[in-house]
């Protein structure tokens, strides 16, 4: 147990500490921006990240809802990642409004440092070097450029503990439950998808159920201090991984260092130029985007390309990652159902009977095509045999479709035989069928 604990916390302490510092610096402007959009004090955004919604998150964690992640197709994942990269990039563009050439030069210089410094050494995260150099230049030469302090003031004070001042009644529950459910799902979807992306980047496997429960518990505590409900931040997660962070120490370091900045280096924090942070986020956007997806558009099935593009388009237009993922999943499900609903019915006349061989899955989406392929008027034999050796029955719609075909032949005075049913299909027939044995 101690070995596992040591592996999770102190496998590479130096890299985790440095990556945590980079993440803390990148968190500041985004947290302030989220707070301003939500209409709350910037301090709330920095402290966190809320109470019924997270109770639902914890419940979902114990119910194992994270297992549903495996039903998200790769095309949706690629679309999610690419849309996220586009949103990260576009979110930085407002920082250029009203700025002079210094801002552009600082962004370019930061990107150059991030891309070139690793060739010199990888002992120190390149984004940290870029932020440090740009901050020093801004302070020493009093450069006329936008800094963190221009976005909002940060007070060196801790929030107060309190319980929600709302009536604990059924009426209150009816009002807040729909919003809480929405928040819970949005937070979990984004967090679980982020965890999956990080798993792929680091070639590791994370405990998604534990992530769901942990996020819920943390949000309950944050909510009692006036914090907004939060979820995984993909941009900062990518920064953490690309900066060398692998263990839990990097996450702890980000939070602790952010608090130290607020209480001991507030003035210094306010002087960090936005150009440096925009450069870091541009790099994150570049690193997040799946550039192999352009090849995917040429080589993958058209259905996969359509799902990926739909996910990107909806996400970018709505600025809602969960909506994009939902549309992608629904479109993928419809296209998949359309693809597997192709069923073939082969007719062959024999001496005393007409043999129909059914190939493919028979379920609600393929029943119409199934029924249309029988030639009732042309079948003169008194015995009709339906061979299901190459077919599987999935639902009651399949049983109903077979019963309708049998009924039509019986009205013409013909006998229908069903052969070749596998064990599961036969069990479904025995349980649901009324007109066929």
């Amino acid at each position: 147990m101690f070995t596992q604990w040591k592996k999770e916390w102190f496998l590479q302490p130096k890299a985790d500490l440095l990556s945590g510092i980079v993440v803390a610096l990148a968190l500041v402007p985004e947290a302030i921006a989220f707070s301003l959009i939500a209409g709350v004090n910037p301090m709330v955004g920095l402290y966190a990240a809320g109470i019924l919604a997270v109770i639902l998150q914890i419940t979902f964690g114990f119910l194992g809802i994270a297992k549903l992640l495996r039903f998200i197709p790769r095309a949706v994942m690629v679309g999610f990642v690419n849309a996220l990269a586009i949103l990260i990039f576009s979110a930085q563009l407002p920082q250029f409004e009203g700025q002079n050439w210094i801002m552009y030069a600082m962004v370019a210089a930061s990107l150059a440092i991030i891309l070139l410094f690793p060739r010199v050494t990888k002992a120190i995260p390149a984004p940290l070097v870029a932020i440090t150099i740009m901050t020093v230049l801004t302070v020493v030469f009093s450069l006329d450029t936008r800094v963190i302090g221009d976005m909002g003031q940060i007070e060196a004070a801790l929030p107060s503990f309190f319980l929600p001042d709302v009536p604990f009644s059924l009426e209150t529950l009816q009002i807040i439950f729909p919003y809480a459910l929405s928040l819970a799902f949005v937070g979990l979807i984004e967090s679980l998808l982020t965890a999956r992306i990080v798993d792929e980047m680091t070639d590791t496997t994370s405990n998604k159920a534990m992530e769901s429960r942990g996020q819920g518990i943390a949000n309950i505590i944050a909510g009692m201090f006036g914090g907004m409900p939060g979820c995984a931040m993909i941009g900062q997660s990518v920064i953490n991984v690309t900066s060398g962070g692998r263990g839990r120490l990097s996450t702890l370091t980000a939070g602790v260092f952010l608090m130290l900045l607020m209480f001991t280096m507030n003035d210094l924090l306010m002087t960090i130029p936005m150009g440096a942070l925009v450069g870091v986020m541009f790099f994150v956007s570049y690193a997040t985007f799946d550039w192999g997806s352009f090849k995917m558009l040429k080589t993958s099935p058209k259905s996969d390309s359509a799902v990926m593009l739909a996910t990107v388009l909806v996400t970018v237009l709505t600025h809602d990652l969960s909506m994009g993922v939902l549309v992608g999943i629904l479109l993928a499900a419809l296209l998949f159902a359309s693809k597997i609903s192709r069923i073939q019915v082969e007719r062959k006349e024999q001496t005393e009977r007409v043999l129909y061989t059914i190939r493919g899955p028979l379920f609600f989406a393929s029943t119409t095509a199934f029924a249309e392929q029988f030639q009732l008027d042309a079948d003169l034999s008194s015995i009709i045999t339906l061979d299901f050796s190459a077919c599987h029955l999935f639902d009651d719609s399949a049983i109903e479709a077979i019963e309708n075909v049998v009924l039509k032949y019986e009205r013409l005075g013909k006998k229908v035989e069903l052969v070749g049913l596998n064990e599961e299909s036969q069990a479904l027939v025995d349980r649901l069928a009324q007109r066929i044995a």
Side-chain angles (χ1 to χ4, degrees):
M1 183 176 180
F2 176 77
T3 303
Q4 180 65 22
W5 181 82
K6 184 178 179 180
K7 179 180 179 181
E8 292 176 350
W9 283 93
F10 298 107
L11 182 63
Q12 45 173 27
K14 180 182 176 181
D16 285 342
L17 287 170
L18 291 174
S19 63
I21 292 174
V22 177
V23 172
L25 293 172
L27 273 170
V28 176
E30 193 161 346
I32 294 176
F34 283 154
S35 300
L36 295 175
I37 291 173
V40 297
N41 190 297
M43 292 301 296
V44 173
L46 286 173
Y47 284 115
I51 294 202
L52 176 61
V54 295
I55 293 176
L56 291 173
Q57 287 183 338
I58 296 174
T59 303
F60 293 152
F62 280 108
L63 291 176
I65 198 173
K67 295 178 182 178
L68 297 178
L69 197 65
R70 67 179 183 270
F71 293 108
I72 298 180
R74 181 176 181 274
V76 175
M77 283 295 299
V78 174
F80 169 81
V81 168
N82 289 348
L84 191 59
I86 294 171
L87 289 179
I88 291 174
F89 179 85
S90 61
Q92 313 311 312
L93 299 182
Q95 300 296 337
F96 291 95
E97 294 179 3
Q99 295 299 298
N100 54 30
W101 65 270
I102 297 177
M103 177 72 170
Y104 294 88
M106 193 165 287
V107 172
S110 298
L111 281 171
I113 294 172
I114 293 171
L115 294 173
L116 299 176
F117 188 78
R119 299 184 181 182
V120 179
T121 179
K122 294 183 179 180
I124 304 175
L128 180 59
V129 175
I131 294 172
T132 302
I133 292 177
M134 295 301 110
T135 302
V136 170
L137 291 176
T138 300
V139 174
V140 172
F141 295 101
S142 300
L143 297 179
D144 181 21
T145 187
R146 179 176 291 172
V147 295
I148 288 180
D150 296 328
M151 296 187 65
Q153 292 302 312
I154 298 177
E155 301 173 6
L158 289 172
S160 301
F161 176 84
F162 68 94
L163 293 176
D165 186 18
V166 295
F168 293 91
S169 63
L170 182 60
E171 183 180 1
T172 301
L173 181 62
Q174 290 175 339
I175 294 173
I176 67 174
F177 185 80
Y179 302 100
L181 188 63
S182 176
L183 283 172
F185 270 116
V186 169
L188 282 180
I189 288 174
E190 294 192 20
S191 294
L192 295 177
L193 288 177
T194 299
R196 183 168 168 178
I197 292 170
V198 173
D199 287 348
E200 293 178 357
M201 293 178 67
T202 59
D203 195 23
T204 58
T205 302
S206 58
N207 189 328
K208 309 297 188 302
M210 183 182 293
E211 166 67 25
S212 302
R213 296 192 298 269
Q215 179 175 306
I217 294 171
N219 276 333
I220 284 180
I221 297 173
M224 292 181 178
F225 285 91
M228 296 182 295
C231 62
M233 303 179 76
I234 179 63
Q236 280 67 27
S237 298
V238 172
I239 291 176
N240 186 44
V241 173
T242 56
S243 298
R246 293 296 183 274
R248 297 181 179 181
L249 183 61
S250 63
T251 306
L252 177 65
T253 301
V256 172
F257 186 72
L258 183 58
M259 186 167 290
L260 287 175
L261 283 175
M262 291 159 50
F263 282 96
T264 64
M265 294 178 280
N266 198 333
D267 293 338
L268 178 61
L269 178 63
M270 295 294 97
T271 62
I272 296 177
M274 289 304 302
L277 297 176
V278 169
V280 171
M281 297 310 293
F282 275 173
F283 172 73
V284 170
S285 174
Y286 167 81
T288 302
F289 196 89
D290 187 348
W291 297 99
S293 59
F294 288 109
K295 183 179 179 181
M296 173 182 171
L297 291 173
K298 297 180 179 180
T299 59
S300 297
K302 293 182 178 179
S303 58
D304 288 348
S305 299
V307 169
M308 183 192 73
L309 292 174
T311 303
V312 172
L313 187 63
V314 173
T315 303
V316 172
L317 291 179
T318 64
H319 285 227
D320 188 336
L321 292 169
S322 59
M323 181 60 70
V325 170
L326 179 61
V327 170
I329 292 174
L330 291 176
L331 180 59
L334 289 173
L335 292 173
F336 177 73
S338 175
K339 183 182 296 185
I340 68 169
S341 65
R342 298 166 187 166
I343 191 166
Q344 295 180 338
V345 180
E346 299 176 0
R347 180 181 181 273
K348 184 177 182 181
E349 292 188 7
Q350 297 182 339
T351 305
E352 298 180 351
R353 68 186 67 225
V354 174
L355 175 66
Y356 281 96
T357 302
I358 297 93
R359 304 181 187 278
L362 186 57
F363 64 114
F364 67 91
S366 59
T367 54
T368 301
F370 166 78
E372 290 175 347
Q373 298 185 59
F374 289 93
Q375 303 177 23
L376 279 75
D377 296 334
D379 296 337
L380 302 179
S381 299
S382 60
I383 300 176
I384 309 296
T385 301
L386 307 184
D387 185 1
F388 289 93
S389 300
C391 176
H392 186 90
L393 311 184
F394 282 94
D395 56 15
D396 61 340
S397 296
I399 303 302
E400 182 184 22
I402 296 172
E403 287 186 321
N404 289 337
V405 170
V406 171
L407 181 61
K408 290 178 180 178
Y409 276 114
E410 288 180 346
R411 287 173 177 171
L412 296 175
K414 303 179 187 299
K415 179 183 178 182
V416 180
E417 298 177 340
L418 273 61
V419 299
L421 287 167
N422 59 38
E423 185 176 347
E424 292 181 3
S425 297
Q426 184 64 60
L428 193 65
V429 169
D430 294 340
R431 189 169 69 252
L432 299 178
Q434 299 178 6
R435 300 189 184 94
I436 53 179

